[in-house]
């Protein structure tokens, strides 16, 4: 069975928690995989990652329990073919706007006659030709997640959800907020309301739906709204938060009277002359 599909089915009441991997670094990806996340998106849309680099990322994450999802840069069959040959098992497609685009996404992941994926005998996906009957089972083992990132896409949600081969939907708050006229305001009440409505629709349709939040509080809110799988921030965002917090904790303002203490650490002296 597809690993991501299996994760969703086995999760029960425990919503799978993931993160974005934007660093394009196998070492960071492997570390994040050991941090306790259930799934992670290896991003090729906004990260400086090509197919050759993707192989190293998949090898690194394969050393962990984190289920990898590869987000391709666009709904383009040639890119998808190479990503699947590199060993991706679940593909996320950005900016899907209609049922027709969802059908094209699914077709790119399927061998004929169900789709248009090109055939190769020796690839990392086939364990270099050692997987018996790989081609016969590949179509049912590849997962497809489509991203809905505009009001128009959400209007088409019921039709997109019904496309055979679409395993799950994903609502992107950042692009949705921009498309709704609230650029940089992913938590705008109108955006949150639209996302909650989409999650409720998916529940009625029986289609898993996920999203991403920039903080634990946001993720909790999305989970309460009915999202079935959630992600928090990214490897780079989490790294920067920790780095900035550490630097800020040791930095003092110009002119501050600073006291260094083994017991209390470094702090400013509140006494006045």
């Amino acid at each position: 069975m597809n690993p991501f599909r299996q994760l969703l089915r086995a999760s029960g009441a425990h919503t799978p928690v993931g993160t974005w991997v934007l660093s394009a670094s196998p070492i960071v990806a492997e570390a994040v995989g050991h941090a306790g996340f259930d799934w992670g998106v290896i991003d090729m849309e906004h990260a400086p990652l090509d197919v050759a680099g993707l192989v190293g990322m998949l090898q690194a994450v394969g050393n962990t329990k984190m289920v990898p999802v590869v987000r391709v840069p666009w709904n383009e069959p040639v890119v998808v073919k190479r990503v699947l040959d590199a060993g991706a098992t679940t593909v996320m497609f950005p900016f899907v706007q209609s049922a027709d685009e969802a059908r094209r996404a699914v077709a790119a992941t399927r061998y004929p006659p169900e789709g248009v994926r090109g055939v190769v005998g020796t690839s990392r996906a086939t364990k270099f030709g050692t997987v018996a009957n790989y081609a016969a089972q590949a179509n049912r083992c590849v997962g497809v997640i489509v991203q809905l990132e505009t009001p128009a896409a959400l209007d088409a949600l019921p039709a997109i959800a019904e496309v055979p081969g679409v395993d799950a939907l994903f609502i992107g708050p950042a692009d949705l907020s921009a498309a709704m006229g609230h650029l940089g305001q992913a938590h705008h009440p109108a955006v949150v309301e639209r996302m909650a409505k989409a999650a409720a629709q998916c529940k009625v349709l029986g289609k898993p739906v996920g999203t991403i939040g920039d903080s634990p509080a946001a993720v909790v809110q999305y989970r309460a709204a009915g999202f079935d799988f959630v992600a928090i921030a990214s490897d780079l965002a989490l790294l920067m938060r920790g780095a900035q917090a550490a630097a800020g904790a040791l930095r003092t303002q110009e002119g501050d009277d600073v006291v260094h203490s083994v017991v209390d650490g470094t702090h400013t002296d509140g006494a006045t002359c």
Side-chain angles (χ1 to χ4, degrees), residues 237-249:
L238 295 171
L239 184 153
M240 289 300 294
R241 289 176 194 174
Q244 288 176 309

Side-chain angles (χ1 to χ4, degrees), residues 189-200:
V191 178
V192 174
E193 181 181 359
R194 193 70 195 268
M195 292 179 64
K197 180 181 177 182

Side-chain angles (χ1 to χ4, degrees), residues 61-84:
V61 173
N63 190 40
T64 76
K65 294 181 179 180
M66 186 172 75
V67 175
V69 173
V70 177
R71 180 164 72 170
V72 291
W74 197 244
N75 189 355
E76 207 290 315
V78 173
V79 174
V80 176
K81 170 178 62 178
R82 300 190 70 200
V83 164
L84 291 174

Side-chain angles (χ1 to χ4, degrees), residues 9-232:
R9 291 182 180 180
S11 61
H14 303 285
T15 307
V17 176
T19 191
W20 240 247
V21 181
L22 288 172
S23 63
S25 164
I27 289 291
V28 175
E30 186 176 10
V32 168
H34 286 300
F37 292 108
D38 301 305
W39 62 282
V41 174
I42 301 175
D43 195 15
M44 299 182 73
E45 183 186 14
H46 290 295
L49 185 64
D50 59 16
V51 177
L54 173 64
V55 171
M57 300 287 283
L58 290 171
Q59 288 172 326
V61 173
N63 190 40
T64 76
K65 294 181 179 180
M66 186 172 75
V67 175
V69 173
V70 177
R71 180 164 72 170
V72 291
W74 197 244
N75 189 355
E76 207 290 315
V78 173
V79 174
V80 176
K81 170 178 62 178
R82 300 190 70 200
V83 164
L84 291 174
D85 288 345
T89 56
T90 300
V91 181
M92 179 180 283
F93 291 83
F95 209 75
V96 171
Q97 293 281 85
S98 67
D100 283 342
E101 291 184 7
R103 278 188 281 269
R104 287 200 294 272
V106 173
T109 69
R110 282 5 186 208
Y111 288 128
E114 297 174 42
V116 297
R117 179 183 175 186
V119 180
V120 63
T122 305
S123 67
R124 186 170 183 272
T126 68
K127 298 189 187 301
F128 309 99
T130 64
V131 177
N133 300 318
Y134 172 82
Q137 59 185 314
N139 283 2
R140 67 176 182 272
C141 292
V142 174
V144 172
I145 303 171
V146 296
Q147 284 190 263
L148 281 55
E149 305 178 82
T150 67
L154 292 183
D155 289 341
L157 187 153
I160 293 172
E162 290 178 357
V163 172
V166 171
D167 292 294
L169 308 181
F170 191 93
I171 313 298
D175 283 296
L176 178 61
S177 63
M180 292 178 65
H182 305 295
L183 179 63
Q185 302 177 64
H187 305 299
H188 190 283
V191 178
V192 174
E193 181 181 359
R194 193 70 195 268
M195 292 179 64
K197 180 181 177 182
Q201 283 183 290
C202 289
K203 196 69 67 179
V204 171
L205 295 167
K207 183 67 64 174
V209 61
T211 192
I212 182 171
D214 57 6
S215 68
V219 172
V220 168
Q221 184 178 22
Y222 291 139
R223 189 160 52 188
F227 283 88
D228 301 294
F229 58 103
V230 291
I232 179 168

